[in-house]
Amino acid sequence: MATRRILYFTAEDHYLYRSQGSALELEAKFSGDDLGVSAFREHLRGQRRALYSVLADLAGEDFHEELIPYLRGSDRAAVIQRRLAQRYRDTRLAAALSLGQAASGERRNERLLLTSFTNTQQLAPWLDALEEAGARLSGVYSVPLLAPALAARLGVKGERALVVTATRAGLRQCYVDQNRLRFARLERTVEMVPQALAMFVRSETQRLLQYLVTLRALPREGAPVQVLVLAPPGQRALFEQALVSDGRLVFRSVDYADALKAVGLKSAPEGTAAEALYLHLAARKPPAEQFASREERRSFFIWQLQRGIVAAGALGFAACALYGGSRWLEVMNVRSQAAVQNREAQLAAQQYGRITATFPVTQTTTENMKVTVVEFSKLAEQSASPERSFVHVSRVLEEFPQMELDSLVWSVGRPGAGADKSKSAKQGEISVIVEISGRVNATQRNDYRAITGQVQRFAAALAGSGYRLLRTQLPFDVTSEGTLSGDIGTGPDTGEAPRFTIVVARRLP
Amino acid sequence: MNFTREELRKLATPLLVALAVLGAGAALIWSAGESLRDAQRTLAAAQAERKQNAERLTRIAEEEREVSQKLDVYQRLKSLNILGEERRLEWADAITRIRTQRELLDLRYRVERQQLLYSAVGKPANVDFFASTMKVDLALLHEEDLLRFLADLRESGNAFYSVKRCALTRTGQAATGTTITPRLRAECEIDLVTILDRASKQ
């Protein structure tokens, strides 16, 4: 966490505190005159680029409520700037605090609390010194601006309350309504005993109440107002005894130690009073509203932007790392699954190896042995011997003694591959093909009908016992497409028997 | 909001740091994604191997039976010298022996150069089937001579004899009575198939 320095600015002396974590330390003290400014400039020389804020605890702080049209963006900023300029001669340290919407007829308005210091010149040299030193000014706050945050920390929840604290500057009274500052005043105090301080608190609170009623900031009649009084260390009991509640005011005293705990401040420098609480809040939980202009805070804004960019990068990296981490977990899970699968595969392979070791000894691998036998079996199935075909043809010939064979061509192949493709033949099937050429004896050569009949019967007889007829070439072309000629009874008989060709096939398994 | 050159210079370093950090994050995601894809591939391969091994283990009884059955055939192929390199001299011897034994009148043959029929995928090496086509011209007294010749050839081993074609024709020569005259001629084409198991231990 970055170290922040807060310049606590009072009418007399100014104190520079260093806030780190939940600790607050007094770093330096400067007088309110020119010597103090010079010393501050000198001090800043060794603190370049440090983070600074200013907490003013001054009596001359003006609060004025205004009503502006309900606007947003640059229009609202322009209206506010105009109202501030109308109200204050010097707007360098002026702020407008929104008090929320105000319904007035049909028009929506916004209530503002304009606030500034009646004498901004006392702050100017100190702010100039900061600017010249290149310090990062996060904001200029006043104690009243931090009062709502303190009230909330001390248990005030939205109701009207007066927060009364004793700081180095005096008795600070802040009127908070709905967690928003409405009014504040600082009454200078002198050294007094706790009893007297308590009585002073009571009388000043009643005076403030009267004033607020006069301003109509508080209703004349109504519920009692809670008064939150921060008692000095160890004086709570005494304060509770002195501050008796009545019909208009309900006092609640808070012990200083309890208040430190409530704001998260573990150690406060010795000698500090209630301002330690405001200083810590200004350092750690600064409110959005403050007095410094945008230009005065420019260096701080750039610093915030730098950190924001780096933080965005770191956030992006964290998101990537988170996503990447989840993917890596997935990777580890998948890898472990793969390792299990590999182990199981190895176990199965080892078991397989052990079992196959008991198999009969072969001269090759099991795989190759299988391939060899399977492929050889296929080859053998597609091979045949002519013997079976010869036997078949011989048997048929015995029934047809007038048939005389000239040639017999036995082959293994695909019937469709031949020149004459039979429609019935299934192409692609390996078959035994037998082509028989022969002559028809003991029949008149010119007896076409008898010869054709005998050849057709012979072919029909061959097409049996697993054989199918592929082609029959008759001695004469008796089809309508061919030419049929005859020379009956006049010419001499040449004696040559009519020739035929029959092709049959048997499919191999 | 406008920035001065000095302010932009101040913002440049954090911007570069943020970009570098984001780049590192993106690289982390990319590398995780790559590793995941790689691991998934490894897992798929391991699952496939485990499945294959498990299935093989389940089928082992069947495989044992199959191995013993196939081993008989394999050993028979080996003993017939069908498995192994070609033995052309043995083929020539066998044909000469058959011709003498069967008293064949005329026998001429020619064995063509060896050709690869096909190569079956095995493990660890392929099993190649080779064929050498033999053309045989025989003079026959009777068609039975051809069948006996083919049977004798098959019995002689040293190859698987796959008969592709046989053409039987009449010679047309008349018997003289003094000399034996062939009545038939046979022209055959026979594939002499041998198998080369490249994983076989000789």
Side-chain angles (χ1 to χ4, degrees), chain A residues 205-325:
Chain A
T205 305
Q206 282 172 338
R207 276 182 63 197
L208 178 64
L209 182 73
Q210 286 298 321
Y211 180 70
L212 291 173
V213 168
T214 311
L215 284 178
R216 294 187 180 173
L218 271 175
R220 193 169 293 278
E221 302 292 331
V225 178
Q226 185 184 178
V227 185
L228 198 70
V229 182
L230 189 69
Q235 304 297 324
R236 184 183 171 188
L238 197 147
F239 266 60
E240 279 180 344
Q241 197 177 1
L243 300 171
V244 180
S245 301
D246 55 25
R248 290 308 315 251
L249 297 170
V250 176
F251 287 96
R252 180 159 76 87
S253 299
V254 179
D255 188 67
Y256 183 68
D258 293 341
L260 288 178
K261 198 182 288 180
V263 298
L265 182 60
K266 282 184 182 166
S267 64
E270 211 169 305
T272 53
E275 71 270 16
L277 302 171
Y278 295 110
L279 286 163
H280 184 69
L281 287 172
R284 298 296 152 206
K285 298 283 176 190
E289 297 92 358
Q290 51 81 46
F291 293 102
S293 67
R294 189 179 289 177
E295 282 310 307
E296 282 169 327
R297 298 177 75 224
R298 180 89 178 180
S299 185
F300 175 70
F301 171 71
I302 295 294
W303 176 80
Q304 274 186 319
L305 209 57
Q306 285 175 325
R307 290 179 55 114
I309 290 167
V310 173
L315 202 68
F317 179 77
C320 289
L322 207 65
Y323 181 71

Side-chain angles (χ1 to χ4, degrees), chain A residues 298 352 365 405 408 410, chain B residues 2 7 63 123 166 168 170:
Chain A
R298 180 89 178 180
Y352 179 82
T365 61
L405 298 191
L408 186 150
W410 179 96
Chain B
N2 297 322
E7 286 168 348
E63 193 168 329
K123 195 176 174 184
C166 266
L168 271 173
R170 290 184 189 279

Side-chain angles (χ1 to χ4, degrees), chain A residues 150 154 161-166 171-174 200-202 204-205 208 226-231 239 243 251-252 274 278:
Chain A
L150 180 63
L154 296 178
L162 296 170
V163 181
V164 182
T165 50
L171 186 71
R172 171 64 72 177
Q173 295 170 294
C174 301
F200 185 65
V201 166
R202 181 177 173 76
E204 286 302 315
T205 305
L208 178 64
Q226 185 184 178
V227 185
L228 198 70
V229 182
L230 189 69
F239 266 60
L243 300 171
F251 287 96
R252 180 159 76 87
Y278 295 110

Side-chain angles (χ1 to χ4, degrees), chain A residues 5-288:
Chain A
R5 289 178 171 79
I6 312 111
L7 181 68
Y8 179 59
F9 202 94
T10 66
E12 284 86 30
D13 296 322
H14 313 316
Y15 304 84
L16 186 65
Y17 288 93
R18 187 172 61 239
S19 169
Q20 190 160 26
S22 56
L24 188 71
E25 288 173 26
L26 178 65
E27 192 169 279
K29 181 184 173 186
F30 306 99
S31 59
D33 52 14
D34 290 346
L35 284 173
V37 175
S38 301
F40 184 57
R41 281 182 203 277
E42 194 62 35
H43 186 85
L44 286 175
R45 249 176 229 160
Q47 307 291 339
R48 284 175 67 84
R49 308 286 174 204
L51 285 177
Y52 281 88
S53 49
V54 176
L55 177 63
D57 196 1
L58 299 167
E61 193 172 349
D62 177 65
F63 297 93
H64 175 74
E65 281 195 21
E66 281 272 348
L67 208 62
I68 62 164
Y70 188 78
L71 297 167
R72 280 286 170 265
S74 58
D75 291 342
R76 180 176 181 269
V79 170
I80 288 172
Q81 202 55 43
R82 196 162 58 241
R83 294 292 172 93
L84 286 171
Q86 286 167 355
R87 176 78 186 172
Y88 304 112
R89 191 164 51 85
D90 182 3
T91 57
R92 183 181 178 182
L93 293 171
L97 283 63
S98 178
L99 297 176
Q101 286 185 49
S104 58
E106 290 180 0
R107 197 168 130 181
R108 285 168 73 192
N109 289 318
E110 184 183 4
R111 281 194 305 138
L112 291 177
L113 181 71
L114 305 184
T115 175
S116 183
F117 302 99
T118 50
N119 179 16
T120 55
Q121 290 308 308
Q122 56 186 327
L123 280 156
W126 300 81
L127 294 176
D128 291 343
L130 283 168
E131 193 179 342
E132 285 161 19
R136 296 180 178 119
L137 180 66
S138 66
V140 176
Y141 307 94
S142 70
V143 167
L145 292 187
L146 295 159
L150 180 63
R153 292 295 177 106
L154 296 178
V156 176
K157 292 173 184 168
E159 64 271 33
R160 290 185 179 113
L162 296 170
V163 181
V164 182
T165 50
T167 64
R168 278 183 199 270
L171 186 71
R172 171 64 72 177
Q173 295 170 294
C174 301
Y175 170 42
V176 175
D177 185 7
Q178 302 295 322
N179 286 332
R180 288 185 175 119
L181 177 71
R182 295 288 301 276
F183 184 79
R185 65 185 285 268
L186 178 70
E187 190 63 38
R188 290 199 175 193
T189 54
V190 289
E191 284 287 328
M192 56 178 78
V193 292
Q195 182 74 30
L197 182 63
M199 293 311 294
F200 185 65
V201 166
R202 181 177 173 76
S203 63
E204 286 302 315
T205 305
Q206 282 172 338
R207 276 182 63 197
L208 178 64
L209 182 73
Q210 286 298 321
Y211 180 70
L212 291 173
V213 168
T214 311
L215 284 178
R216 294 187 180 173
L218 271 175
R220 193 169 293 278
E221 302 292 331
V225 178
Q226 185 184 178
V227 185
L228 198 70
V229 182
L230 189 69
Q235 304 297 324
R236 184 183 171 188
L238 197 147
F239 266 60
E240 279 180 344
Q241 197 177 1
L243 300 171
V244 180
S245 301
D246 55 25
R248 290 308 315 251
L249 297 170
V250 176
F251 287 96
R252 180 159 76 87
S253 299
V254 179
D255 188 67
Y256 183 68
D258 293 341
L260 288 178
K261 198 182 288 180
V263 298
L265 182 60
K266 282 184 182 166
S267 64
E270 211 169 305
T272 53
E275 71 270 16
L277 302 171
Y278 295 110
L279 286 163
H280 184 69
L281 287 172
R284 298 296 152 206
K285 298 283 176 190

Side-chain angles (χ1 to χ4, degrees), chain A residues 49 294 298-299 301-302 305-307 309-310 312-314 316-317 319-321 323-325 327-328 330-331 334-335 337-338 340-342 344-349 351-352 355-356 358-380 382-387 390 394 404-412 439, chain B residues 1-4 7 10-11 14-15 17-18 21-22 24-26 28-29 31-33 35-37 39-40 42-43 46-47 49-50 53-54 56-57 60 63-64 66-68 70-71 73-75 77-78 82-83 117-118 120-127 129 143 146-147 150 154 160 162-170 193 195 197-201:
Chain A
R49 308 286 174 204
R294 189 179 289 177
R298 180 89 178 180
S299 185
F301 171 71
I302 295 294
L305 209 57
Q306 285 175 325
R307 290 179 55 114
I309 290 167
V310 173
F317 179 77
C320 289
Y323 181 71
R327 296 294 289 252
W328 274 110
E330 212 175 325
V331 168
V334 171
R335 278 181 182 166
Q337 281 179 42
V340 169
Q341 295 284 325
N342 271 329
E344 285 179 8
Q346 278 176 3
L347 283 173
Q351 203 176 344
Y352 179 82
I355 295 170
T356 51
T358 61
F359 282 11
V361 178
T362 59
Q363 289 167 317
T364 185
T365 61
T366 309
E367 194 71 29
N368 271 36
M369 188 180 69
K370 280 190 209 171
V371 167
T372 304
V373 173
V374 168
E375 293 300 324
F376 176 77
S377 300
K378 282 185 198 167
L379 185 76
Q382 290 177 357
S383 300
S385 169
E387 191 170 0
F390 285 9
S394 296
E404 186 181 339
L405 298 191
D406 287 335
S407 71
L408 186 150
V409 180
W410 179 96
S411 63
V412 174
R439 284 171 289 177
Chain B
M1 175 175 276
N2 297 322
F3 294 102
T4 62
E7 286 168 348
K10 283 178 183 173
L11 292 175
L15 208 62
V17 170
V21 165
L22 282 173
L28 191 73
I29 289 176
S31 71
S35 298
L36 184 61
R37 274 187 285 280
Q40 280 167 342
T42 310
L43 175 63
Q47 280 173 333
E49 192 183 352
R50 187 200 63 80
N53 288 0
R56 207 166 54 158
L57 200 61
I60 198 148
E63 193 168 329
E64 189 175 11
E66 194 185 350
V67 164
S68 59
K70 289 198 168 35
L71 185 63
V73 180
Y74 189 86
Q75 282 173 342
L77 291 173
K78 190 89 181 167
I82 294 171
L83 259 167
L117 270 185
Y118 57 89
V121 179
K123 195 176 174 184
N126 285 5
V127 178
F129 285 71
E143 61 266 25
L146 174 64
L147 298 175
L150 292 174
R154 217 172 288 128
F160 174 72
S162 174
V163 183
K164 291 293 166 195
R165 186 175 179 276
C166 266
L168 271 173
T169 50
R170 290 184 189 279
V193 179
I195 306 164
D197 177 3
R198 300 199 181 275
S200 171
K201 295 163 203 156

